[in-house]
Amino acid sequence: MRVLALLDGTLLDPDAPHVRVDDLGITRGDGVFETVLVVDGVPRELDAHLDRFARSAAMLDLPEPDRAAWERVVRVVVDEWPAAGEMALKLVCTRGPEFGDGTPTAYALGMAISEAQLRVRGTGVTAITLERGFDPAVVAAAPWLLLGAKTLSYAVNMAAFRHARARGADEVIFTATDGTVLEGPTASVVVVDGTTLRTTPPSSGVLPGTTQGALFRAAERAGWATKVEPIPAADLRTADGVFLASSVRKLTRVRELDGSPLPDRPGLAEELVALYESEYA
Ligand code: PLP
């Protein structure tokens, strides 16, 4: 099930072709996107997603997204969605056709969430660590690397997934050359010790996660401590729990890392999911 609308709100057949073959989003991955979770007609963390969309666009020198227009098209797709329950809503903006008039290609696409994606929320995942090949110090020094922008260039992230699957794992946790934890190919990493949550700072070249942000907000309200700081990869082994956080997967426990089981504090996963959901109760 899918619902497609152009930024101006025009609904289109998602099975028909609409993007030009010379679109720079296709030929160069030159564009930005967001994936928003919609639950029972309510988009979660839409402001944070649109903030990040604007930041990513600015990093690519794309025109500033028209926030009111994006808010409107989100509503168009949500209202058109025929079912209750969950939808993944992708917002896409490319630099537009190479031989065009410079107008970006911009659309919103609502999609059903697959059974497989829903299943891992409960079962947890196995993961391997893979080096992402940069030092966090390069992030500020080399802005053209676009570290921390949510661009359409996800080929490396998808290759990492395939590499993990070839080695029998579900997921990847990227590490930096200085031995610290970065993020997953499509998720933030959250490390739990006692009642302290930690995640990697955007200054290390990761995306500021909207799901992680919501979890940290809820946790702080409930009296937990939160830290956004570099995390040595060795801490993943000794923590009470390691989680992947993203809009579609919500919070998924990493139960095995690089072939060895990780500690599993009983009830922790349920507690974190309850905290996260309390943001939307
Ligand atoms: N990091 C990367 C590289 C991602 O692609 C994503 C989401 O797709 C995230 C983190 C998590 O972000 P969010 O919680 O906003 O979905």
Side-chain angles (χ1 to χ4, degrees), residues 124-206:
V125 290
T126 61
I128 56 172
T129 48
L130 292 179
E131 226 216 60
R132 186 67 178 75
F134 68 83
D135 187 287
V138 85
V139 176
W144 57 88
L145 294 180
L146 299 178
L147 296 165
K150 196 164 170 67
T151 78
L152 291 169
S153 305
Y154 261 46
V156 167
N157 306 41
M158 297 302 108
F161 272 142
R162 288 193 301 277
H163 191 77
R165 276 157 204 165
R167 288 172 51 186
D170 305 312
E171 276 283 356
V172 173
I173 294 179
F174 284 128
T175 56
T177 53
D178 69 352
T180 58
V181 175
L182 290 171
E183 61 189 343
T186 60
S188 314
V189 175
V190 175
V191 176
V192 188
D193 281 292
T195 53
T196 300
L197 303 180
R198 279 185 294 163
T199 198
T200 305
S203 58
S204 288
V206 302

Side-chain angles (χ1 to χ4, degrees), residues 49 52 150 154 157 183-188 207 209-211 245-247:
H49 281 288
R52 192 170 65 189
K150 196 164 170 67
Y154 261 46
N157 306 41
E183 61 189 343
T186 60
S188 314
L207 290 188
T210 65
T211 314
S246 76
S247 300

Side-chain angles (χ1 to χ4, degrees), residues 18-250:
H18 302 293
V19 176
R20 282 174 45 163
V21 292
D22 63 342
D23 194 288
L24 289 162
I26 294 173
T27 57
R28 297 200 198 276
D30 195 356
V32 296
F33 79 105
E34 283 293 325
T35 305
V36 182
L37 177 66
V38 180
V39 182
D40 293 334
V42 181
R44 290 192 168 177
E45 303 304 316
L46 184 58
D47 277 339
H49 281 288
L50 291 177
D51 287 349
R52 192 170 65 189
F53 200 46
R55 248 186 342 261
S56 299
M59 288 172 77
L60 269 72
D61 299 318
L62 284 168
E64 185 182 349
D66 177 343
R67 196 164 180 118
W70 284 102
E71 284 169 350
R72 266 196 312 274
V73 75
V74 165
R75 188 41 53 203
V76 166
V77 174
V78 169
D79 288 348
E80 193 66 16
W81 189 253
E86 297 188 5
M87 164 178 74
L89 177 55
K90 204 164 228 199
L91 311 180
V92 178
C93 181
T94 82
R95 201 173 298 279
E98 185 166 4
F99 303 99
D101 63 4
T103 307
T105 300
Y107 58 87
L109 176 64
M111 294 168 289
I113 297 176
S114 73
E115 287 300 316
Q117 284 170 313
L118 292 175
R119 204 172 320 117
V120 294
R121 288 183 189 167
T123 58
V125 290
T126 61
I128 56 172
T129 48
L130 292 179
E131 226 216 60
R132 186 67 178 75
F134 68 83
D135 187 287
V138 85
V139 176
W144 57 88
L145 294 180
L146 299 178
L147 296 165
K150 196 164 170 67
T151 78
L152 291 169
S153 305
Y154 261 46
V156 167
N157 306 41
M158 297 302 108
F161 272 142
R162 288 193 301 277
H163 191 77
R165 276 157 204 165
R167 288 172 51 186
D170 305 312
E171 276 283 356
V172 173
I173 294 179
F174 284 128
T175 56
T177 53
D178 69 352
T180 58
V181 175
L182 290 171
E183 61 189 343
T186 60
S188 314
V189 175
V190 175
V191 176
V192 188
D193 281 292
T195 53
T196 300
L197 303 180
R198 279 185 294 163
T199 198
T200 305
S203 58
S204 288
V206 302
L207 290 188
T210 65
T211 314
Q212 166 268 315
L215 170 67
F216 277 33
R217 249 185 359 248
E220 282 164 18
R221 255 207 325 274
W224 293 51
T226 62
K227 292 181 180 170
V228 181
E229 63 183 22
I231 302 169
D235 289 9
L236 297 173
R237 293 245 133 264
T238 54
D240 289 348
V242 175
F243 291 82
L244 294 173
S246 76
S247 300
V248 168
R249 63 167 69 65
K250 297 185 175 175

